[in-house]
Amino acid sequence: MRRSWVEQMMGMPISVLARGDAADSEAADTAVQELYAELEGIDRLFSPYKPDSMVSLLMRGEVGWDQAGFDVQEVCERCAAAREMTGGLFDADLPDGGWDPSGLVKGWAVERAGRRLRAVAEVDWCLNAGGDVLVISPSAEAFTIGIQDPRDPGRVVASLQRSWGAVATSGTAARGAHLYDPRTGDPVQGRWLSVSVSGPSLEYADIFATAAFVAGDDWPTVLLPGFEGLGILADGNMFSTAGWGVA
């Protein structure tokens, strides 16, 4: 049995697919609704596009960091750790002096909220947050995850099988040239149109995908052990690390 849900939040569609005998159960539906409620609350706290979010208040100087609360403090620490881990390729500090943790918050939030799905026994889950995917499969049966063609968003150019873990993609397909190189402050422009990263954590897969895209030709060196990548060039050619297709 399969059941699916989808909601538009955090500026993107977030879909949940449940698979298994209990997929249609009240417990499964409750877990999904709680997940959406948690993500909505996180968006209210962190969205730089909401004038009353804590991030917006902090950037306008209307509140101090001592008033930011535990979740914001935690994300700030995680952003600093991500900057250190990627050698500055991932940085929530903006060239204009602002702070935008959005590049970390999505993966962190989805992975954290995913614990609600894990609590439902005998259900496999595939959670897709704007193209970044978290898979939880107690049955060990894999889901097929498609990789979007950055030149044609309606086309899938690659796929991989996963029964656990996450896949995140960074590039120009969804939002154009929106990423900047923290080392120079300039927009990222190169011959790679997207980099997808798979691994055990959606938070870290998302961080590494962003950092790898910024790194350009050196992107495979950004990935830590346990994470694999697939890069797509502007001419359509693809390059993957050795363990990319290994389940």
Side-chain angles (χ1 to χ4, degrees):
M1 179 178 293
R2 291 174 178 254
R3 185 180 180 186
S4 61
W5 300 256
V6 63
E7 294 283 349
Q8 186 77 25
M9 57 178 58
M10 302 178 77
M12 60 188 164
I14 298 182
S15 64
V16 182
L17 172 64
R19 181 181 66 193
D21 292 342
D24 200 35
S25 67
E26 182 178 349
D29 184 66
T30 298
V32 173
Q33 300 310 321
E34 289 177 348
L35 176 141
Y36 282 137
E38 182 171 351
L39 293 178
E40 186 175 17
I42 290 172
D43 190 42
R44 288 197 302 268
L45 190 63
F46 285 99
S47 174
Y49 305 107
K50 297 182 185 297
D52 58 346
S53 73
M54 182 57 70
V55 167
S56 295
L57 295 174
L58 282 167
M59 291 306 98
R60 294 199 301 268
E62 296 178 20
V63 299
W65 281 98
D66 58 336
Q67 301 169 276
F70 176 81
D71 284 345
V72 176
Q73 295 282 2
E74 179 184 353
V75 164
C76 183
E77 292 173 1
R78 287 178 175 271
C79 286
R83 180 175 59 241
E84 180 71 19
M85 180 172 54
T86 62
L89 293 169
F90 178 97
D91 197 343
D93 295 331
L94 302 177
D96 63 4
W99 184 65
D100 182 1
S102 302
L104 182 139
V105 165
K106 179 174 73 169
W108 168 80
V110 170
E111 189 164 341
R112 190 177 84 159
R115 73 186 187 280
R116 301 183 182 277
L117 306 182
R118 292 186 180 93
V120 183
E122 299 180 0
V123 176
D124 296 342
W125 300 97
C126 184
L127 172 55
N128 187 325
D132 293 345
V133 178
L134 177 67
V135 172
I136 304 162
S137 183
S139 74
E141 181 182 350
F143 287 95
T144 300
I145 301 171
I147 304 300
Q148 185 182 65
D149 186 344
R151 302 166 303 167
D152 179 2
R155 181 169 174 256
V156 172
V157 293
S159 64
L160 71 165
Q161 302 288 315
R162 285 291 180 271
S163 59
W164 61 277
V167 179
T169 298
S170 185
T172 60
R175 296 170 57 192
H178 67 288
L179 294 174
Y180 73 96
D181 187 335
R183 301 166 297 182
T184 64
D186 296 326
V188 177
Q189 295 181 336
R191 63 194 193 111
W192 298 93
L193 294 186
S194 71
V195 178
S196 298
V197 174
S198 67
S201 161
L202 182 57
E203 177 184 349
Y204 284 96
D206 207 4
I207 290 169
F208 290 139
T210 299
F213 186 74
V214 172
D217 288 348
D218 293 330
W219 70 260
T221 66
V222 174
L223 307 183
L224 293 184
F227 291 84
E228 303 292 341
L230 172 73
I232 302 177
L233 289 160
D235 62 7
N237 284 321
M238 295 182 285
F239 174 82
S240 64
T241 56
W244 168 256
V246 180

